[in-house]
Amino acid sequence: MLRLVSISSLLLVTQVLASPHTRASSQPLPLLIWHGLGDNYAADGLHSVGDLANETNPGTYVYYIRCHDDPGTDSRATFLGNLTEQIAQVCIDIQEHEVLSQAPGFNALGFSQGGQFLRGLIERCGDRINVRNLVTFGSQHNGIAKYQICKDGDWLCKGYVGLLKSNTWGHWVQGNLVPAQYFKSTNDTTGAPTEEYLENSNFLADINNERALKNVTYAKNLAQLDNFVMYLFEDDTTVIPKESGWFAYTNGTDGTVTPLKDRDIYKEDWIGLKKLDQKGGLHFETTEGGHMQLDDEVLIDVFSKYFSTKNGSWKGIDEREQQIIEL
Ligand SMILES: *[C@@H]1O[C@H](CO)[C@@H](O)[C@H](O)[C@H]1NC(C)=O
Ligand SMILES: *[C@@H]1O[C@H](CO)[C@@H](O)[C@H](O)[C@H]1NC(C)=O
Ligand SMILES: *[C@@H]1O[C@H](CO)[C@@H](O)[C@H](O)[C@H]1NC(C)=O
Ligand SMILES: *[C@@H]1O[C@H](CO)[C@@H](O)[C@H](O)[C@H]1NC(C)=O
Ligand SMILES: *[C@@H]1O[C@H](CO)[C@@H](O)[C@H](O)[C@H]1NC(C)=O
Ligand SMILES: *[C@@H]1O[C@H](CO)[C@@H](O)[C@H](O)[C@H]1NC(C)=O
């Protein structure tokens, strides 16, 4: 009896999937959203952003990137884990996803650390998943120079930061504590990254191609974007230095900012940003407020400018398929 039921439902699935649809190629590309530190993929605030994307560009399928299906564990993974493994897993998850695997391309939205992780995903996995437009808000593309993570009175968090600070360049910390993997130390006299950063950084020094041996695939993949838009929060006091959101270097001694375009990473085009800029695809934007104070108007503007059907479309999935996928 049970067997019969499962066979007939299987038949139904096959029939529905095989039935011809007369759908125009008119849905916006699916949107990948990678949340920030401490957040989780199922959070209401994050979903309200996804809903806004779907309202702005109706029919947008939104995928909230996760490292675990359990939201609590997903949130934990924003603090604990090896970014090499997390990004490799996300690369596989997207390729194996029922809906996403059918899409010809994606748009991507990264919040805070999720922004540089999406960039890492594009650099490493860009031959397998085709991202067209990447928008990041308050991300740490040039790393952080200080750990400013805890709310006042959060002793557990203070213990965590103590561990980060005491042994940032240790192998265990680099393999297990997430913010250490985008911590950057620079010799402010010379402006050069320190040896210990270059030797030990598990994530940032690699995806920024700062080591002597450059991975040309990273540059090729990033330059293939249509647009890379970096938003900086004007009054960001959480990200130190906030100019990291624009890929700039800030001298920790006197606060002088060297913009991306005056830096070797751009001038020598280590990761494809210059090439992207030359075709008009690199954008520096600011928004009012402190770290992650998102304004709906700004989001709507971004969504209509970069994530509409004008920026790529596909046939989408219809509601029947959607229901089956959710079964
Ligand atoms: C997007 O909005 C439409 C209504 O315009 C709704 O039917 C659909 O369920 C929404 N999709 C998602 C993924 O929220
Ligand atoms: C460069 O990056 C690609 C994509 O992650 C990887 O497959 C390749 O092995 C890397 N090459 C080197 C020399 O590390
Ligand atoms: C991070 O994970 C990768 C892949 O498993 C591994 O090769 C690397 O050694 C790990 N890094 C650290 C610092 O543990
Ligand atoms: C920074 O570089 C200068 C010049 O090479 C060197 O003298 C100094 O010791 C370095 N400072 C640190 C903190 O490494
Ligand atoms: C950083 O600022 C200090 C103090 O003004 C200055 O001596 C040093 O040369 C600056 N470093 C760079 C790389 O410009
Ligand atoms: C995407 O949107 C941007 C900004 O509106 C526009 O300049 C660009 O041409 C669009 N890209 C594509 C592939 O349509």
Side-chain angles (χ1 to χ4, degrees), residues 51 54 58-62 319:
D51 291 346
N54 184 25
T60 304
Y61 182 87
V62 182
E319 271 165 33

Side-chain angles (χ1 to χ4, degrees), residues 218-287:
Y218 289 0
K220 184 176 133 277
N221 287 347
L222 205 56
Q224 273 170 359
L225 287 170
D226 289 328
N227 294 286
F228 176 20
V229 189
M230 292 180 272
Y231 269 89
L232 184 77
F233 291 97
E234 277 169 14
D235 306 316
D236 199 329
T237 53
T238 302
V239 176
I240 298 181
K242 69 173 180 186
E243 294 81 10
S244 189
W246 273 2
F247 241 125
Y249 157 66
T250 304
N251 184 329
T253 311
D254 67 2
T256 314
V257 177
T258 309
L260 171 66
K261 291 186 190 182
D262 293 334
R263 305 183 58 215
D264 289 345
I265 188 173
Y266 177 91
K267 291 190 284 186
E268 297 174 7
D269 211 15
W270 297 346
I271 55 171
L273 294 173
K274 188 176 182 181
K275 198 167 174 205
L276 185 58
D277 192 27
Q278 283 166 345
K279 64 172 186 183
L282 190 63
H283 310 272
F284 302 85
E285 303 284 352
T286 53
T287 179

